[in-house]
């Protein structure tokens, strides 16, 4: 004897289960979205995955982030920049260079991430920063003219500095001074190098 086939009925059951699964899945996604959105709307801290000057400020309040960055910058900013040429050593006072990082603006930029668009845009931005990470470099200022002046002054004081030929007149006599070859500071290159190290907070204990 042959049993009657129920293929069509079985297909209907599979389709119903699949549809139910899709509906449940969409409900879960919707609930997760609502919870995630409500959390973000009530969150007063900086979003996850955000750094300032390479310093992680994820989950911090604006004040906590300000304190953390300020302390790290102070800890990594020496009183003087040490320079060495062979056995000759000297330094430049950092206080004379008017170094500054615009921390408040960087904090505001970090805090605004995930808060500057509509709900969908903000949620998407927050999700992105969690996985891709975002770093904000604060505006950096330094008195570059003062730095170059200090380097030029150091260049003239090197033990093996270049001496230019010169002359002067004394009692109707022409006095000639012969120059000699030597070394000078490449002011532009050295200035750029020092500025980069300061910006990267890599100047402490870095002769």
């Amino acid at each position: 004897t042959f049993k009657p086939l129920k293929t069509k009925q079985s297909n209907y059951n599979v389709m119903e289960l699949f549809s139910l699964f899709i509906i449940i899945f969409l409900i879960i996604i919707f609930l997760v979205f609502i919870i995630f959105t409500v959390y973000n709307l009530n969150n007063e801290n900086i979003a996850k995955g955000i750094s300032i000057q390479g310093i992680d400020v994820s989950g911090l309040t604006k004040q906590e982030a300000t304190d953390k960055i300020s302390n790290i910058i102070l800890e990594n900013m020496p009183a003087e920049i040490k320079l060495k040429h062979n056995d000759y050593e000297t330094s430049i006072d950092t206080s004379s260079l008017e170094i500054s990082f615009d921390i408040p603006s960087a904090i505001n930029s970090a805090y605004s991430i995930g808060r500057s668009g509509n709900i969908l845009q903000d949620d998407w931005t927050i999700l992105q920063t969690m996985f891709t990470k975002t770093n904000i470099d604060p505006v950096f200022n330094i008195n570059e003219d003062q730095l170059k002046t200090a380097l030029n002054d150091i260049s003239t004081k090197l033990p093996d500095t270049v001496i230019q030929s010169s002359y002067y007149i004394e009692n109707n006599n022409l006095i000639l001074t012969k120059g000699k070859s030597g070394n000078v500071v490449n002011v532009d290159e050295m200035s750029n190098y020092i500025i980069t190290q300061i910006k990267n907070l890599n100047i402490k204990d870095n002769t």
Side-chain angles (χ1 to χ4, degrees), residues 11 16 18 51 59 65 71 89 94 96 101 153-154 160 172 174 178:
N11 288 339
E16 288 173 0
F18 182 74
S51 299
N71 289 335
E89 296 185 18
T94 51
S96 69
F101 292 86
D153 182 57
I154 289 169
D160 55 352
N172 294 323
L174 179 63
K178 186 180 180 181

Side-chain angles (χ1 to χ4, degrees), residues 82-101:
K82 297 178 182 178
L83 301 163
K84 184 176 181 180
H85 169 63
N86 295 330
D87 294 329
Y88 177 71
E89 296 185 18
T90 187
S91 62
I92 300 173
D93 253 344
T94 51
S95 60
S96 69
L97 301 180
E98 302 170 14
I99 299 166
S100 67
F101 292 86

Side-chain angles (χ1 to χ4, degrees), residues 16 21 46 50 72 108-109 125 136 141 162 175 189 194 207:
E16 288 173 0
F21 173 78
I46 295 170
I50 298 176
I72 290 176
N108 287 333
S109 295
T125 299
I136 298 169
N141 286 298
V162 170
I175 310 299
E189 185 177 330
I194 289 174
T207 302

Side-chain angles (χ1 to χ4, degrees), residues 6-19:
K6 295 184 179 181
T7 305
K8 187 174 291 187
Q9 183 65 41
S10 299
N11 288 339
Y12 285 146
N13 289 338
V14 170
M15 289 298 295
E16 288 173 0
L17 286 173
F18 182 74
S19 299

